[in-house]
Amino acid sequence: MFKKIIALFLSVSVMMTAAACSKEPEESNNTPSDEFTAGNPDHETTYYSTKMITLPQHADFILSFVNETGPVFIADKSTINTEEHRTYCEYTLYQCDYEGQVLSDTELQVSELYYIEDLCALDNERFVTVGKGSDFRIYSNDGSIIREGEDTGIECNRAVCKTTEGFMVWIGNKIVKYDNEGKFLDSVDVELFPEGYSKIGITGIFEQRGTCYAYGEAFITENSSTAGYFRIDFDAGLLEEYVHPYEMAQGFMPDFFLWAVDYHRNTIGEANRGDIVELDLEQKKAEICADRNNMLICPPTYGNDDGQPIKVLDKSHFYRDYTYREFNLDIAEIALVVPDDSLDLGSRTNITIQGAGVSTDSLIQNAAYYYNVSQNDYFITFDELTARYGFNSPESMKTTKLQLIAQYSNGKAPDIFYGDFFDYEYFGENDMVIDLKPYLGDDEMYDKMTRDEGKIYQVYAGYGLRGYFGRSDLYSSDVDISSLPDIPDGQQRFGNVFAPDLVYDMIGRDLRSIYRRGELTYENVFAAVKTAVDYGYEPDYTYENYDPTFQEDVGSGKTSLNNSAISNPQSYYQMSVDFRGDPVYVGYPSIGGSVHSFMPVSLVAVSSSTEHADVCCDFIRTLMTVDTQRKVCSSGYIPSNDEVLNEMIGVVKDPDNASDELMTIYRRQLIYDRNRQGEEQIIPFTSEMADNYLAMIGEADTVDIYDWGLWIIARDEVTAYYTQDKSAEDVADALYSRYLVYAQENYG
C-alpha cells in the first residue's frame, strides 16, 4: 500500500510541477584540559537517569558551575521596585553532590544593584562572577567577596570563563585576561575585528587547548549577520575569523545549533535533533557527548516544562531547572541528569515516535518518561525530522513529504507517527495507520476522534480552535461562501488576507469532504475564486509591505472577521474585549457551510507496519490520563478529556473557592487583567462566557492539517489573476481541473 501511495504522490507532484542588549543568565565554564578530546566515544551505550533536587525557595533564574565536590547551583530571587524602576537580586548558593543531595546552602554577599550574568569556578574553594555593578567579583564558597574589580558603569551583557592562567572576562568592548587572584594580564579591543564585518556581537568566550576564542554574531550589514567563532589574539590585540558553525555541523546542526549554554562557552550544547554535541575548534568538527534518547529526564512536579533546554554541567552531567516562576511557589526543582551504570536501555525493545517537533513537545516527552520508568521491556524513543529535512518553505515541505513517503514504502516507517505534517485520515483509508478503536475502547474522550464508521486513526492530547472569528451580532457559526452577510461599505471582510490563501481556506482545507459530497464543481470553485479576488489581496509572500490584521480591527469596524485562535478562557476573554462584543467561531467559510478546524496538540497515529501495536496504544493512553490532561491545561490548551475540561471551567468560573492545588494546576487557564493601579487581578469566567466558550469547543470538527500541495496549486493559479491578467473564470477553470485530478488520485 505504501508503494501505491508514493505513486499517487509522484503523479500529483509531476502534475503540479508542470502547471506552474539583555539576556538571561548563562551557565559556567570548567577548567580546560590540554589533553582535550571532544565528545564521548561511548555515547551510544551510556545511559542517564535523574536525581531530583528541591531548592526550598522561589527562584527566578538558576546558574551553575562544577567544583570537585559536585554541582553548585545559585538561585536568583529578584524583587522589582516599580517606583524606583530597579530590580534587586538575592542569591543563594547550593552545594550539591551527584546523588542529588543538597550538602550546604549559603547566601551570597551582594550589593543591592549587583546582578550576576555569568560565573565560573576558579578552584574548589572559589568562583568568579561578572555582572552589572563591577567588572568581576571573586567569591569564596562561603558567600563572601574575596576581591572585586572596578565598576565600569557599562550596561551590557558580560561573560567569564576559566583559563590556564586564571580567568578571562568580556565586558563592553574589551576581552580581559586576569590571573587566579584577579590581577590584570592582557586585553583585546573587541572593536578590532576582521575585515568585511561592521561589528561583532559577542555572546560567549572560552579557552580550548590553550587557545582563547570568542563566539558571536558577525554583522556584514546592519540587517545581515552570520554566527562565527573568532580566535582571540592577545599578542596582536585583535580578533581573527576562525570557523563558522555550518563548517562543523556534520549533519548535527543544519541551522543555528547549540540551544544550551555550557561549561566551555558555546562548545557543548543541545543540537537540533536532541543530541548533546561538543565542538573541537582546532579540528573544526562536532562530536556527540550524549544521546538525548538515552536520557530519562524527570518532568516538573507542577505544570509543564514547555521545552526547557538541557543545560550542561560538564560533558557527563546535565540538568533541567524548573523554577515555577509563574506559579509563585516557594520551591524550585532541578532534574540532575547523571550517568547510570545500572540502567541498560539498550536491552529494551525500542518504540520509535517520528515527527517534526517531537523532540520539543514536552507533553510527549514527559509522557514517555513516565511510561519508560513504569516497565523494563520497552523504550519510547524519538526521531526528530527537522534535523534531516527541510520545513522552511512550501516547496521544501512538499519535497520532504515525498521523501518520507518513499522511505515508508521501503519499510522504514516508525512505530508511531507524530505531528500534523501528514493526514492520518488519509493514511488510515490507505492502510498506512491502524484503527485504534479496538485498543482504546469506547471511552467518551475519543468521541471527537472517531470517524462516522466508528474507526479512530489518530489521537491528540489537546487542541486549540483556529479559523475566522466574528461578532455574534453579524455572523452565525456556520457560513456558506454563497451566503455571506452584508457588511458596511469600506469594511474588509477577512482582513488583509491574500487571495490564494482564501481559496485554500474555502476549498483546500476540506477538499476530501467537498469532493466526496459531490460538491467539487466548477460553479463552486468559481464562487470561491470570485469571493477571494473580491475580498482578498494580491499576494506578496515576501511580506515586505504586509499590514497584518488584529483582533482589535473587528472591534473598531475595520474588518468583520479575523483569522485567529482560541485555546483557553484567557484568549476567549481577550478576544471579547478586542471585539467589543461576544465572539462567534465562524471557522473557515466553505462550500455548504463552515469548516471548524482545530490545532491538535501531541497528535499521534500508529503505523500499520509496527510489530507492537498494543504497546504503542498503551503509551497513547498515558497522553489521556487525568495528570497528563491537566498538563495540557498547564500549557494553555483545551484538554481532550471532558472531565478535566469541566474541572478547569469550574476553577476559572469560581477561583475564590478553588483549592490551592487546582489553582496551581490551572493557573494558565485563569483570566488575568490589571486594575488602574497596574496590579494583576483574576477575573471570574462568567456563566455566559463559559457557555459560549464550550459551544465553540463543541463546533470544532476537523483536525487542521495543512496540505502544502493543495496550497501551492491555489497559489499558482490565483496569483495568475494578478500577474497574467487572467479572468476569474479562467482561474477557476484551471484550479478546478487541478483540484479535481488531485481529489481523484487521492480520495477516489
Side-chain angles (χ1 to χ4, degrees):
M1 182 53 66
F2 276 104
K3 293 183 178 179
K4 173 186 174 184
I5 299 306
I6 187 64
L8 295 181
F9 269 89
L10 288 172
S11 67
V12 172
S13 176
V14 171
M15 174 193 71
M16 290 166 56
T17 303
C21 188
S22 60
K23 69 175 182 179
E24 292 188 356
E26 298 189 8
E27 309 309 316
S28 63
N29 307 345
N30 274 351
T31 304
S33 170
D34 291 333
E35 299 178 358
F36 170 76
T37 302
N40 173 13
D42 299 320
H43 66 86
E44 292 183 350
T45 56
T46 303
Y47 303 103
Y48 302 82
S49 59
T50 299
K51 306 292 185 181
M52 288 298 287
I53 300 172
T54 300
L55 307 183
Q57 70 160 89
H58 171 85
D60 291 297
F61 300 105
I62 294 176
L63 303 94
S64 65
F65 62 87
V66 173
N67 57 27
E68 294 177 8
T69 305
V72 177
F73 299 100
I74 296 181
D76 162 26
K77 180 179 180 180
S78 303
T79 303
I80 300 175
N81 188 313
T82 55
E83 294 182 357
E84 298 180 4
H85 302 288
R86 288 180 172 178
T87 300
Y88 297 91
C89 301
E90 300 174 14
Y91 296 96
T92 305
L93 181 150
Y94 295 91
Q95 175 69 66
C96 303
D97 62 21
Y98 289 115
E99 294 300 316
Q101 301 298 314
V102 177
L103 304 179
S104 63
D105 60 89
T106 306
E107 298 294 323
L108 290 195
Q109 178 184 344
V110 293
S111 60
E112 288 183 337
L113 297 180
Y114 187 69
Y115 177 74
I116 298 175
E117 296 198 54
D118 198 10
L119 77 171
C120 69
L122 283 179
D123 50 43
N124 200 45
E125 304 297 330
R126 302 177 304 156
F127 61 97
V128 60
T129 70
V130 291
K132 295 174 183 177
S134 66
D135 51 4
F136 71 84
R137 283 182 179 178
I138 298 176
Y139 278 94
S140 167
N141 285 354
D142 65 8
S144 62
I145 299 173
I146 298 173
R147 179 163 182 167
E148 186 169 9
E150 296 180 359
D151 184 355
T152 61
I154 297 176
E155 293 292 325
C156 70
N157 297 323
R158 306 139 195 263
V160 62
C161 72
K162 186 72 179 75
T163 67
T164 51
E165 297 174 291
F167 61 95
M168 180 168 57
V169 169
W170 159 59
I171 177 170
N173 62 350
K174 295 283 187 183
I175 297 175
V176 185
K177 283 201 299 185
Y178 298 92
D179 68 11
N180 270 317
E181 306 308 317
K183 180 182 177 181
F184 174 85
L185 295 177
D186 209 341
S187 69
V188 165
D189 191 332
V190 175
E191 295 180 355
L192 297 177
F193 42 77
E195 291 184 9
Y197 299 112
S198 60
K199 64 178 179 179
I200 294 178
I202 291 177
T203 57
I205 53 176
F206 59 94
E207 183 186 75
Q208 198 174 85
R209 289 196 180 96
T211 300
C212 295
Y213 299 91
Y215 175 80
E217 288 287 311
F219 288 82
I220 303 168
T221 66
E222 185 175 344
N223 299 316
S224 175
S225 66
T226 179
Y229 291 88
F230 299 84
R231 192 173 71 86
I232 305 170
D233 188 336
F234 284 95
D235 292 332
L238 51 77
L239 301 181
E240 295 179 337
E241 187 170 12
Y242 189 72
V243 64
H244 294 276
Y246 61 82
E247 297 177 79
M248 297 181 285
Q250 298 175 323
F252 295 119
M253 294 115 3
D255 301 311
F256 177 76
F257 57 87
L258 296 186
W259 289 97
V261 289
D262 58 273
Y263 78 100
H264 276 159
R265 181 72 58 230
N266 296 100
T267 63
I268 299 183
E270 186 176 0
N272 282 355
R273 77 179 190 186
D275 292 331
I276 308 297
V277 301
E278 184 173 24
L279 305 184
D280 186 329
L281 270 291
E282 183 178 294
Q283 300 297 318
K284 297 184 180 180
K285 64 180 181 179
E287 301 288 356
I288 296 178
C289 274
D291 188 334
R292 173 62 184 85
N293 278 326
N294 287 357
M295 295 180 175
L296 294 176
I297 303 179
C298 185
T301 302
Y302 303 96
N304 219 24
D305 63 4
D306 293 333
Q308 275 270 26
I310 300 171
K311 298 180 180 179
V312 180
L313 289 166
D314 58 34
K315 63 195 301 176
S316 300
H317 300 90
F318 314 93
Y319 73 96
R320 276 182 173 158
D321 58 72
Y322 309 129
T323 60
Y324 307 125
R325 280 176 288 182
E326 65 182 273
F327 294 102
N328 293 324
L329 299 175
D330 290 328
I331 66 166
E333 290 181 324
I334 294 169
L336 180 62
V337 183
V338 299
D340 189 340
D341 292 336
S342 68
L343 194 62
D344 183 12
L345 301 179
S347 64
R348 301 188 188 188
T349 300
N350 282 348
I351 303 296
T352 301
I353 305 177
Q354 183 192 80
V358 67
S359 65
T360 56
D361 185 322
S362 54
L363 282 168
I364 287 280
Q365 296 283 330
N366 295 347
Y369 170 82
Y370 288 116
Y371 186 82
N372 286 334
V373 299
S374 69
Q375 43 74 48
N376 297 313
D377 298 319
Y378 299 94
F379 186 65
I380 304 296
T381 188
F382 302 95
D383 182 11
E384 176 57 64
L385 291 177
T386 57
R388 304 194 307 277
Y389 296 93
F391 293 88
N392 56 357
S393 71
E395 283 74 18
S396 69
M397 285 187 275
K398 183 186 76 172
T399 299
T400 293
K401 183 172 290 188
L402 290 171
Q403 291 173 334
L404 289 170
I405 290 291
Q407 280 194 22
Y408 302 155
S409 70
N410 290 323
K412 296 181 180 179
D415 298 283
I416 299 175
F417 295 101
Y418 164 87
D420 58 1
F421 188 60
F422 289 113
D423 180 351
Y424 301 123
E425 297 288 330
Y426 172 75
F427 273 25
E429 291 178 358
N430 289 277
D431 300 324
M432 296 166 65
V433 298
I434 66 171
D435 174 18
L436 303 174
K437 183 75 169 181
Y439 299 91
L440 301 179
D442 297 320
D443 197 299
E444 292 180 357
M445 77 177 77
Y446 300 112
D447 287 352
K448 192 186 287 285
M449 308 169 199
T450 305
R451 290 162 56 95
D452 291 341
E453 72 273 21
K455 294 183 178 181
I456 301 174
Y457 290 135
Q458 58 192 347
V459 169
Y460 41 86
Y463 52 96
L465 309 181
R466 173 181 285 172
Y468 285 97
F469 293 81
R471 283 177 43 142
S472 60
D473 56 1
L474 180 61
Y475 287 95
S476 69
S477 61
D478 193 22
V479 177
D480 191 306
I481 58 174
S482 64
S483 57
L484 293 168
D486 294 333
I487 57 176
D489 292 340
Q491 186 182 67
Q492 296 175 324
R493 170 74 71 183
F494 298 99
N496 294 329
V497 180
F498 296 149
D501 298 327
L502 283 175
V503 167
Y504 175 78
D505 289 343
M506 289 184 281
I507 302 179
R509 286 183 180 275
D510 200 33
L511 183 64
R512 176 172 47 217
S513 297
I514 292 171
Y515 173 71
R516 289 178 175 173
R517 294 197 307 263
E519 295 179 341
L520 183 58
T521 64
Y522 167 80
E523 291 75 18
N524 284 335
V525 172
F526 174 74
V529 171
K530 189 67 169 62
T531 301
V533 297
D534 284 348
Y535 294 114
Y537 292 83
E538 180 177 358
D540 176 14
Y541 290 107
T542 66
Y543 294 96
E544 290 182 358
N545 300 308
Y546 181 67
D547 182 20
T549 303
F550 300 99
Q551 290 183 168
E552 296 92 330
D553 294 329
V554 174
S556 69
K558 179 180 178 181
T559 182
S560 69
L561 291 169
N562 178 246
N563 195 352
S564 191
I566 286 179
S567 60
N568 51 55
Q570 172 70 50
S571 56
Y572 172 89
Y573 172 77
Q574 188 59 53
M575 183 177 287
S576 66
V577 171
D578 293 338
F579 280 16
R580 304 178 192 175
D582 294 332
V584 62
Y585 179 29
V586 174
Y588 293 102
S590 185
I591 297 167
S594 290
V595 177
H596 295 94
S597 65
F598 55 90
M599 308 168 288
V601 174
S602 302
L603 177 67
V604 292
V606 176
S607 171
S608 57
S609 65
T610 183
E611 298 178 355
H612 307 286
D614 54 340
V615 178
C616 294
C617 292
D618 283 344
F619 168 71
I620 287 173
R621 287 192 193 92
T622 66
L623 294 174
M624 311 304 286
T625 63
V626 170
D627 182 62
T628 302
Q629 288 291 293
R630 284 172 166 178
K631 289 183 182 296
V632 173
C633 293
S634 294
S635 294
Y637 291 100
I638 302 165
S640 293
N641 187 326
D642 284 345
E643 176 186 344
V644 174
L645 174 63
N646 291 326
E647 180 184 65
M648 179 272 292
I649 291 292
V651 171
V652 296
K653 285 176 68 175
D654 189 14
D656 290 339
N657 291 315
S659 67
D660 291 343
E661 179 187 12
L662 291 180
M663 286 290 285
T664 298
I665 291 171
Y666 295 120
R667 181 173 177 79
R668 283 193 179 177
Q669 299 281 342
L670 297 171
I671 301 173
Y672 293 92
D673 206 345
R674 293 189 179 275
N675 59 25
R676 293 181 178 179
Q677 290 73 40
E679 299 170 334
E680 191 175 70
Q681 58 184 358
I682 297 175
I683 298 176
F685 205 37
T686 67
S687 294
E688 183 180 358
M689 289 179 182
D691 290 345
N692 195 24
Y693 178 66
L694 291 172
M696 287 182 174
I697 291 174
E699 296 279 359
D701 56 16
T702 304
V703 174
D704 190 19
I705 304 295
Y706 213 92
D707 189 323
W708 288 101
L710 291 175
W711 180 87
I712 289 173
I713 293 175
R715 179 200 62 188
D716 292 348
E717 299 303 336
V718 179
T719 299
Y721 175 85
Y722 300 96
T723 60
Q724 301 177 31
D725 201 27
K726 282 191 175 183
S727 66
E729 290 80 1
D730 289 342
V731 170
D733 185 59
L735 187 65
Y736 168 66
S737 296
R738 295 182 69 183
Y739 269 3
L740 181 61
V741 171
Y742 189 100
Q744 289 171 339
E745 289 278 4
N746 290 279
Y747 310 135

